[in-house]
Amino acid sequence: GAGVSQSPSNKVTEKGKDVELRCDPISGHTALYWYRQSLGQGLEFLIYFQGNSAPDKSGLPSDRFSAERTGGSVSTLTIQRTQQEDSAVYLCASSWGQGYQETQYFGPGTRLLVL
Amino acid sequence: AQSVTQPDIHITVSEGASLELRCNYSYGATPYLFWYVQSPGQGLQLLLKYFSGDTLVQGIKGFEAEFKRSQSSFNLRKPSVHWSDAAEYFCAVGGNNNDMRFGAGTRLTVKP
């Protein structure tokens, strides 16, 4: 079946603009994660959704970042008033069960460049 | 909170040679440990994971890793590297929360 997909694959925006990044998880996966991968650094956890539970937003770096997951499936990560330091690859992952003990399947990422 | 250190930013090995990628973690309790590989243009793929039990874990693509509690390490090994193994490798550690911490990665180059 299809894996995790993300769109767009690349996004170039101007400082101060808002951007929306989309993630389509594997069908039936209840858990969904967003990570940020900055150049030369490891993945940084941003947010975690599990079923209909309230999301774990503990990794969001500022209130300019938000995410939602509609119908327990597709998720959108929104960055408002983008800054140059937001430039990174944003990765989405999904898994069957609760917690990262379940294998996470990663999408190819969205490469964001803020000019 | 847990943390991960991958001391080697870049490693070059010859095809057919053995490989060991280092990973050190910091966590107060028994950690959950993972190795992921990211090939160019590909998403991250799980190679192997350790939760409990046998400290030597076998993964896909001929990789293995050994959990050493006394050294707080979870090094990844492969006896004979193939050119297709060239990629970025990430070690990750999880604790009793949803926050899985990744290392900065080790980029592997394979010489013919």
Side-chain angles (χ1 to χ4, degrees), chain B residues 14-103:
Chain B
S14 298
E15 189 168 16
S18 63
L19 171 70
E20 182 168 25
L21 302 182
R22 295 184 292 165
C23 172
N24 294 98
Y25 69 89
S26 174
Y27 186 61
T30 300
Y32 302 103
L33 296 162
F34 307 80
W35 274 100
Y36 282 85
V37 60
Q38 186 176 35
S39 300
Q42 305 290 319
L44 271 79
Q45 181 182 24
L46 179 69
L47 284 175
L48 47 79
K49 58 186 176 184
Y50 170 80
F51 291 164
S52 64
D54 192 347
T55 57
L56 184 62
V57 181
Q58 301 298 320
I60 62 171
K61 304 185 179 185
F63 286 92
E64 67 177 27
E66 186 171 11
F67 170 57
K68 293 185 177 180
R69 184 187 299 276
S70 61
Q71 298 177 18
S72 297
S73 69
F74 189 57
N75 294 349
L76 182 72
R77 300 194 294 249
K78 186 169 184 177
S80 178
V81 169
H82 188 262
W83 65 266
S84 61
D85 293 325
E88 185 107 24
Y89 292 80
F90 293 93
C91 181
V93 60
N96 292 319
N97 50 35
N98 300 315
D99 185 353
M100 192 160 77
R101 298 293 177 95
F102 284 78

Side-chain angles (χ1 to χ4, degrees), chain A residues 33 35 37 40-45 48 56 58 89 91 98-108, chain B residues 2 32 34 36 38 41-44 46 49 51 90 94-105:
Chain A
Y33 300 77
Y35 296 91
Q37 185 178 20
Q41 299 186 24
L43 278 71
E44 175 189 5
F45 166 77
Y48 165 69
D56 179 349
S58 60
V89 177
L91 294 168
Q98 182 171 354
Y100 51 74
Q101 292 89 338
E102 299 291 337
T103 298
Q104 294 183 40
Y105 295 83
F106 283 80
Chain B
Q2 61 271 30
Y32 302 103
F34 307 80
Y36 282 85
Q38 186 176 35
Q42 305 290 319
L44 271 79
L46 179 69
K49 58 186 176 184
F51 291 164
F90 293 93
N96 292 319
N97 50 35
N98 300 315
D99 185 353
M100 192 160 77
R101 298 293 177 95
F102 284 78

Side-chain angles (χ1 to χ4, degrees), chain A residues 40-114:
Chain A
Q41 299 186 24
L43 278 71
E44 175 189 5
F45 166 77
L46 296 178
I47 188 169
Y48 165 69
F49 294 90
Q50 173 57 45
N52 296 320
S53 303
D56 179 349
K57 305 179 182 179
S58 60
L60 294 178
S62 77
D63 58 8
R64 296 187 295 105
F65 288 73
S66 63
E68 62 177 22
R69 189 178 184 193
T70 55
S73 181
V74 172
S75 177
T76 302
L77 177 69
T78 301
I79 309 174
Q80 297 178 308
R81 306 180 302 282
T82 53
Q83 303 295 312
Q84 290 181 333
E85 60 263 29
D86 298 334
S87 297
V89 177
Y90 289 83
L91 294 168
C92 174
S94 68
S95 66
W96 283 111
Q98 182 171 354
Y100 51 74
Q101 292 89 338
E102 299 291 337
T103 298
Q104 294 183 40
Y105 295 83
F106 283 80
T110 293
R111 188 176 300 275
L112 174 65
L113 177 61
V114 181

Side-chain angles (χ1 to χ4, degrees), chain A residues 21-39:
Chain A
L21 311 179
R22 177 186 168 106
C23 172
D24 283 87
I26 292 173
S27 178
H29 279 191
T30 59
L32 187 147
Y33 300 77
W34 281 99
Y35 296 91
R36 178 169 67 177
Q37 185 178 20
S38 301
L39 188 63

